[in-house]
Amino acid sequence: MSLMDRISDLPDTLLLRVLSLLPSAKDVVATMVLSKRWEFLWLSVPRLVFDDQDIVEFGKFSRFVDRYLIVNDAPEIETLHFKLSRRYAAQDIIVWMRAANNFTVDEMIIEIDSSSCASPVILPKFLYTECTMLVTLKLNSVILADFSSPMFFPSLKTLSLLSVRYPDEEFASSLLSYCHVLESLEVEKCRDDNVTLFTVRVPSLKRLVLHTSENRDRDDSDGFVINAPCLEYFNIIDHKGGFCVIENDMPNVVEAYVDVTHSHPRMILGSITSVKRLYLCLSTSKDLYPDDTLVHRLVHLTLCTCDTEWLNLLVSMLRDSPSLRALKLEQYHGLPAHHLRAYWNEPSSVPVCLLSSLETLEWVNYEGTEEEKEVVGFMFRNGSCLKKVTISSKSNDCNKKLEMIKELTWSIRCSPTCQLAFD
Ligand SMILES: *[C@@H]1O[C@H](CO)[C@@H](O)[C@H](O)[C@H]1NC(C)=O
Ligand SMILES: *[C@@H]1O[C@H](CO)[C@@H](O)[C@H](O)[C@H]1NC(C)=O
Ligand SMILES: *[C@@H]1O[C@H](CO)[C@@H](O)[C@H](O)[C@H]1NC(C)=O
């Protein structure tokens, strides 16, 4: 018996599962030629992905979706997913949504990316008002227009607004206020988006990613306002010098990625003191968080070493993270052109985490400068629980590397149980 015959002996439910794993509806349809057995199977596949990159010719894609939705025979569709990267007549999309309303759809995902269109897509009105099955909406380079009718997103859990342009600031925040079950939000502010202060007040939110596009002008009045008491994951990248106001504590945040050039990052760090895993790149080490705040649960810390202040930041973070187990130092952004040297002031007392919890130190892009050697030396001398130190250098110069290894081996002698790895 051939492999094809053996596959065709499998029960329909299993074959439909297999078909559901294919990347898009076009691939699913292609299986109808495999054999008699497959001829009609594709009509009942419960997961439909329509991706307009699959069908290059404009117009053909619309007809393909139209027909597919008419002949579709699956009583219940688990996922109906549109990936649209061209400009469609609103009418096209309306027809698809109306057709979709004829089935039971558990999850509808719409992705519209008009970043490569000559003119941006304007989101059709009924997406705000009639898509009750919409669970995921991802928009890139789209214009949202104000139709002054109430919006309706009863099932929306994931929303992504990248380089989206809004009629005005109120519109952006009121859009979010209609998303009562939203769990994940991603925003990228871009140039000319009509929003200076982006306000996120979403009580159900668990995951929040806020970025400011590099194409935006530097503006100190630019900012984010956040009220998301249930947040668990927080990611903010903003190199445009604005600010971030957090209206309430976020006691459930366990993971955070904070990379900002704000002059007062105090409020951010002060609101996420429950964090366990933290990435930090700040241009300042002053005014980090309210006095006497400990980052009690912090276990994994990655600190970017691109900034002149990073050594002070390191000292503060070591002092205030009594449970830290793993520290990673990484020069992530590359050094600015006129880099000032950072200075290391050995702390007057050994931080608690060095005495009781810090087990691993990883240093990426170690250069072997005087300051770096002093930091490593301090860790070896005073890190009583240090088990493993991994150092990687970006240098290709063998002699320089050999020199670094010699120096490191010399410093590690005072920490006999610690293992050193170098590459
Ligand atoms: C929905 O189903 C009805 C009855 O089967 C059919 O007449 C109608 O054309 C369908 N609507 C769409 C938009 O496909
Ligand atoms: C942004 O605001 C200006 C001025 O109010 C307005 O003319 C423009 O249409 C707005 N942009 C969008 C995308 O609505
Ligand atoms: C760190 O350890 C060294 C050697 O044991 C010791 O001389 C030094 O005082 C310690 N540093 C602090 C801040 O206690």
Side-chain angles (χ1 to χ4, degrees):
M1 202 161 53
S2 76
L3 178 64
M4 201 59 229
D5 290 337
R6 266 189 287 164
I7 292 175
S8 299
D9 271 350
L10 297 170
D12 275 4
T13 47
L14 199 59
L15 292 179
L16 287 173
R17 277 289 130 220
V18 173
L19 288 178
S20 290
L21 298 174
L22 292 175
S24 80
K26 188 171 173 248
D27 308 307
V28 172
V29 173
T31 62
M32 69 188 278
V33 301
L34 289 179
S35 77
K36 203 89 196 133
R37 175 74 203 290
W38 294 77
E39 200 175 345
F40 300 108
L41 210 52
W42 63 278
L43 293 169
S44 314
V45 176
R47 177 175 167 274
L48 302 179
V49 183
F50 296 109
D51 182 345
D52 70 7
Q53 295 291 306
D54 280 352
I55 297 173
V56 182
E57 204 180 313
F58 196 76
K60 259 199 178 161
F61 175 74
S62 299
R63 286 199 296 280
F64 174 74
V65 179
D66 289 348
R67 282 196 228 150
Y68 202 123
L69 291 176
I70 290 169
V71 298
N72 169 63
D73 210 13
E76 191 174 330
I77 296 180
E78 288 160 17
T79 305
L80 179 59
H81 185 164
F82 292 93
K83 294 186 187 176
L84 310 176
S85 59
R86 281 176 289 199
R87 228 189 135 104
Y88 294 90
Q91 205 52 40
D92 274 337
I93 304 186
I94 293 176
V95 168
W96 301 336
M97 298 300 130
R98 296 257 154 88
N101 276 331
N102 262 4
F103 325 119
T104 312
V105 177
D106 294 338
E107 179 186 38
M108 175 137 76
I109 303 173
I110 298 182
E111 290 180 67
I112 302 179
D113 179 352
S114 73
S115 55
S116 53
C117 295
S119 57
V121 168
I122 300 177
L123 205 66
K125 173 182 172 176
F126 70 92
L127 273 181
Y128 302 114
T129 54
E130 282 175 46
C131 291
T132 54
M133 307 167 265
L134 197 60
V135 172
T136 300
L137 179 62
K138 295 188 175 181
L139 304 174
N140 188 345
S141 308
V142 166
I143 293 182
L144 302 188
D146 189 359
F147 300 105
S148 51
S149 52
M151 296 178 248
F152 192 49
F153 295 110
S155 317
L156 195 65
K157 291 212 170 125
T158 301
L159 177 62
S160 167
L161 303 167
L162 305 185
S163 296
V164 164
R165 282 177 284 155
Y166 310 86
D168 55 35
E169 209 166 273
E170 285 72 39
F171 184 88
S173 48
S174 73
L175 169 76
L176 297 180
S177 71
Y178 289 102
C179 304
H180 299 294
V181 297
L182 193 66
E183 290 177 2
S184 173
L185 173 66
E186 188 174 354
V187 172
E188 184 188 46
K189 288 211 278 181
C190 67
R191 180 192 282 270
D192 299 328
D193 63 4
N194 281 352
V195 176
T196 306
L197 208 58
F198 199 103
T199 304
V200 178
R201 290 197 182 103
V202 185
S204 54
L205 209 59
K206 294 194 175 144
R207 193 174 179 282
L208 177 60
V209 177
L210 298 175
H211 293 179
T212 300
S213 162
E214 289 300 327
N215 72 17
R216 237 179 126 95
D217 295 326
R218 210 184 160 79
D219 182 353
D220 287 338
S221 64
D222 226 36
F224 293 103
V225 175
I226 302 169
N227 188 331
C230 296
L231 210 63
E232 292 168 8
Y233 174 85
F234 182 45
N235 178 317
I236 180 166
I237 301 181
D238 183 358
H239 295 158
K240 295 294 167 184
F243 61 90
C244 180
V245 173
I246 298 179
E247 295 182 325
N248 56 342
D249 268 357
M250 305 193 288
N252 301 327
V253 172
V254 287
E255 186 172 351
Y257 189 106
V258 179
D259 176 2
V260 297
T261 57
H262 300 169
S263 43
H264 300 284
R266 173 181 172 131
M267 199 171 236
I268 300 181
L269 291 184
S271 311
I272 56 169
T273 52
S274 60
V275 70
K276 288 186 180 158
R277 189 178 277 275
L278 176 65
Y279 172 96
L280 210 53
C281 185
L282 298 178
S283 49
T284 173
S285 64
K286 298 177 193 78
D287 189 30
L288 275 182
Y289 28 66
D291 288 341
D292 302 326
T293 306
L294 288 182
V295 201
H296 264 295
R297 300 196 200 152
L298 187 62
V299 174
H300 293 268
L301 171 67
T302 301
L303 211 63
C304 181
T305 64
C306 74
D307 201 87
T308 47
E309 294 272 358
W310 80 268
L311 282 170
N312 291 327
L313 188 59
L314 174 65
V315 173
S316 316
M317 290 308 295
L318 289 176
R319 183 193 62 211
D320 298 329
S321 315
S323 315
L324 193 66
R325 267 211 311 267
L327 173 67
K328 182 172 175 183
L329 302 171
E330 183 172 17
Q331 189 182 300
Y332 187 75
H333 294 103
L335 296 176
H338 302 290
H339 185 65
L340 294 165
R341 267 168 55 138
Y343 290 98
W344 168 247
N345 292 315
E346 183 152 322
S348 51
S349 61
V350 180
V352 172
C353 65
L354 281 185
L355 297 174
S356 62
S357 61
L358 190 71
E359 291 177 354
T360 62
L361 167 67
E362 185 182 351
W363 201 319
V364 182
N365 286 344
Y366 179 84
E367 289 178 292
T369 64
E370 282 310 311
E371 294 73 30
E372 290 178 340
K373 283 191 269 184
E374 285 172 36
V375 174
V376 173
F378 175 73
M379 296 289 192
F380 281 142
R381 267 180 280 121
N382 305 85
S384 345
C385 328
L386 215 52
K387 292 206 174 87
K388 185 160 191 209
V389 174
T390 310
I391 294 197
S392 64
S393 142
K394 63 177 170 188
S395 167
N396 290 325
D397 181 340
C398 291
N399 289 331
K400 207 172 158 196
K401 277 192 166 176
L402 205 59
E403 192 59 33
M404 283 185 207
I405 295 174
K406 265 199 235 156
E407 286 163 357
L408 288 166
T409 328
W410 174 247
S411 334
I412 202 178
R413 77 196 186 286
C414 37
S415 182
T417 53
C418 178
Q419 196 185 34
L420 174 70
F422 186 90
D423 81 274

